[in-house]
Amino acid sequence: MSSGGSITVLYFAAARERAGQARESIPVSEGVTVREVLRLLCAAHPGLEPLLPHLRVAVDQEFVGVDAPVRPGAEVALIPPVAGGSPGLFRVVDRPLRLEEVVEAVGGESYGGLVTFSGSVRNQTKGRRVLRLEYEAYAPMAEKKLAEIGAEVATLWPGVRLAVVHRVGTLVPGELAVVIATASAHRREAFRGCEYTIERLKQDVPIWKKEFFEDGEVWVGLGP
């Protein structure tokens, strides 16, 4: 291999299970691309290859394409499908959630419209009884992406404030997984900002959930 260095690879959710570890350091040459890194990783961990159509790759906490360069010293994260700016609060935590914490983060006398969303664990999915969920996250990137969504909301609906707190760890039915609050001078913008946030959170924020049933388990986004 030509002169270069090493990169740190982070594995999450199903990718972590297939690789058998959460992180590793691998040597790379100068000018290596994401595509070449994936080839090296699949050679070392063949179980990763079936996941490739489902994975996104982040380099130094930014999503990139397969032809993007990877510099020596970079941090590369394999991101399976997720479960999936403005002043506010953007956190990933491993403790029980309170709706009040996001309300307090965005409220104020000049904000007449306040909309909240609480996402809790259901006790069934497609007729199968859910015993528990396990959430995990690439926390630094997840918080960064939540803040970026806050900036998007503020751009689309000027004056709207956003707060999001998502929980990780083991949750049982009835427990809160995410709490969201948006506040604005008027209700319409607050409603739109909240709905937009929920949809964007599912697209780009690297948080995963695994559902456990009486007869099996599945990573959401990779199941049938």
Side-chain angles (χ1 to χ4, degrees):
M1 181 174 291
S2 61
S3 63
S6 63
I7 61 173
T8 299
V9 181
L10 305 181
Y11 300 100
F12 296 95
R16 185 195 68 248
E17 291 181 344
R18 299 293 181 91
Q21 56 194 328
R23 64 189 297 143
E24 66 177 323
S25 178
I26 66 168
V28 296
S29 59
E30 290 284 352
V32 72
T33 65
V34 168
R35 189 190 308 275
E36 291 162 337
V37 168
L38 291 175
R39 188 178 300 121
L40 290 172
L41 296 179
C42 287
H45 310 292
L48 287 173
E49 190 161 1
L51 288 183
L52 290 185
H54 305 283
L55 294 177
R56 298 176 74 184
V57 177
V59 176
D60 293 329
Q61 302 182 16
E62 293 292 342
F63 287 120
V64 298
V66 293
D67 294 319
V70 180
R71 63 173 180 80
E75 180 182 83
V76 176
L78 271 58
I79 309 290
V82 299
S86 61
L89 175 71
F90 308 101
R91 290 183 183 165
V92 175
V93 300
D94 61 354
R95 55 165 174 77
L97 304 182
R98 297 183 308 110
L99 184 61
E100 292 80 8
E101 60 188 305
V102 288
V103 171
E104 293 166 359
V106 300
E109 293 182 359
S110 61
Y111 297 90
L114 178 67
V115 174
T116 65
F117 173 80
S118 301
S120 60
V121 177
R122 298 189 304 269
N123 64 2
Q124 63 84 32
T125 296
K126 298 180 180 179
R128 302 171 74 187
R129 187 163 77 90
V130 174
L131 302 179
R132 68 184 187 278
L133 297 185
E134 291 185 0
Y135 282 89
E136 69 175 75
Y138 181 12
M141 183 176 175
E143 292 182 345
K144 180 179 180 180
K145 290 300 176 183
L146 289 174
E148 289 177 4
I149 293 172
E152 293 172 15
V153 167
T155 298
L156 292 168
W157 299 281
V160 173
R161 300 180 67 178
L162 171 67
V164 184
V165 181
H166 203 297
R167 185 177 174 185
V168 294
T170 301
L171 285 72
V172 298
E175 290 191 296
L176 292 175
V178 62
V179 287
I180 300 172
T182 52
S184 67
H186 305 287
R187 67 181 185 276
R188 179 175 296 179
E189 291 79 5
F191 273 109
R192 289 180 175 175
C194 188
E195 183 177 23
Y196 178 87
T197 299
I198 295 166
E199 296 305 317
R200 288 287 289 113
L201 191 154
K202 295 178 182 178
Q203 295 170 354
D204 274 355
V205 181
I207 298 174
W208 307 272
K209 67 178 178 181
K210 191 173 190 179
E211 293 183 306
F212 289 80
F213 309 99
E214 293 174 308
D215 58 349
E217 60 194 54
V218 62
W219 286 104
V220 174
L222 292 177

